[in-house]
Structures are given as structure tokens and as C-alpha cells.
């Protein structure tokens, strides 16, 4: 099951440094590979997290894989479903 | 020079469908590979463009490569420079 790291950081509405710290904590606790996941407008922030992490805190880390996709989510307004873009960034040390 | 496609669509503040149409036009004019480029908050929109293009208009297209990076840009307020995340999505048919 090496293709799916169990350590996932979901990037949402919190400040970008919260997610950088979450990643650093996972690596410090022994993770060798983590996954940043984001949807919609948070995708830009996930890229910020990956860049700040690798440029400022973990220069030895590498971005192994970036995947983009589309997810269907329930739309509270219309009662139906709507599509939202998603992204996953795998970072290994 | 096959590593750098000459057909680049810079994703910015316009509506997402403008960029989808720009990509479709490039492919229609003979391009076999295009590059979507975005910085900062526009990164999420670039992912939307790639997803809408491949899911709705060009199911035969594939995302060949996604790169993220950091660029230094002039900051008009401070007079110095500031860092901004960037992304490039290569789409081939």
C-alpha cells in the first residue's frame, strides 16, 4: 500500500502556516511521505504550503507527484450536486 | 525544444471559460501540447480550466505534467520583492 500515504493534510480556510506546521509535525513524528489535499479556492493555498515547506523549512523534501481531479459535492442551495476541482500534492523527504 | 511548448495560456482574472476557449482555439489551430500558467490565487482557476477542458470538451486530452514553483515579483507597496506561488499544467492531445 505504498502508493497511498496515510498522512494526509487537508488544506482549507485556516492560515497557511497552520498547514505548514501540520506537515512539519507529521515529518517530525516519522512520516516519510505526506499528502496535501485541497478543493476549490484552497488549491492555491495548498501550493503555497508545499512551496513554503520545501523552500524554507525542509529543503531536502521533494514534490513527488501532483494530481488534479474533479469531485462531486452536495450543493446546499440547489439540493443537487456541483463539481469542484481538487488537487493532491505528495511530498517526500 | 520539445520540452517547452510555445503555446501558453496565462490564467488570470478573467472568467474561467475565457481560458477554456483560449485552450480550445490553440488545439483547433494545430497545437498538440499547451501550457496553462498561473500565479497566486489564479492557480485554483488554472486547475478548473484543465478539468473543464478534459472532462467536458476534450476527453481525449491528458494532463502530461504539473509543476509548482515560487516566483519573485515586485511589490508596489513596499518597493521590494515578494514571493508568489506559481503553477504550470501541460495538457497534450
Amino acid at each position: 500500500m505504498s502508493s497511498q500515504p496515510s498522512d494526509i493534510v487537508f488544506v482549507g480556510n485556516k492560515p497557511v502556516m497552520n498547514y505548514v506546521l501540520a506537515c512539519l509535525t507529521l515529518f517530525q513524528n516519522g512520516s516519510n511521505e505526506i499528502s496535501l489535499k485541497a478543493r476549490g479556492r484552497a488549491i492555491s493555498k495548498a501550493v503555497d504550503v508545499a512551496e513554503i515547506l520545501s523552500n524554507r523549512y525542509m529543503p531536502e523534501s521533494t514534490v513527488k507527484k501532483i494530481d488534479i481531479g474533479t469531485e462531486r459535492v452536495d450543493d446546499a442551495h440547489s439540493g443537487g450536486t456541483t463539481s469542484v476541482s481538487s488537487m493532491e500534492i505528495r511530498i517526500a523527504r
Side-chain angles (χ1 to χ4, degrees), chain A residues 11-79:
Chain A
V11 177
N13 291 321
K14 293 178 190 167
V16 66
M17 290 310 292
N18 288 38
Y19 303 109
V20 174
L21 191 63
C23 294
L24 285 172
T25 305
L26 286 173
F27 279 122
Q28 214 124 37
N29 288 344
S31 288
N32 287 314
E33 187 173 337
I34 65 162
S35 187
L36 282 170
K37 289 193 177 190
R39 295 200 297 200
R41 296 308 116 196
I43 286 175
S44 306
K45 194 182 288 180
V47 175
D48 291 341
V49 173
E51 285 296 306
I52 291 171
L53 191 71
S54 60
N55 290 336
R56 210 182 297 170
Y57 297 100
M58 293 186 63
E60 76 279 17
S61 68
T62 52
V63 172
K64 278 189 66 178
K65 198 167 191 303
I66 303 175
D67 282 316
I68 61 174
T70 302
E71 292 180 15
R72 308 283 300 170
V73 294
D74 293 331
D75 187 338
H77 292 290
S78 69

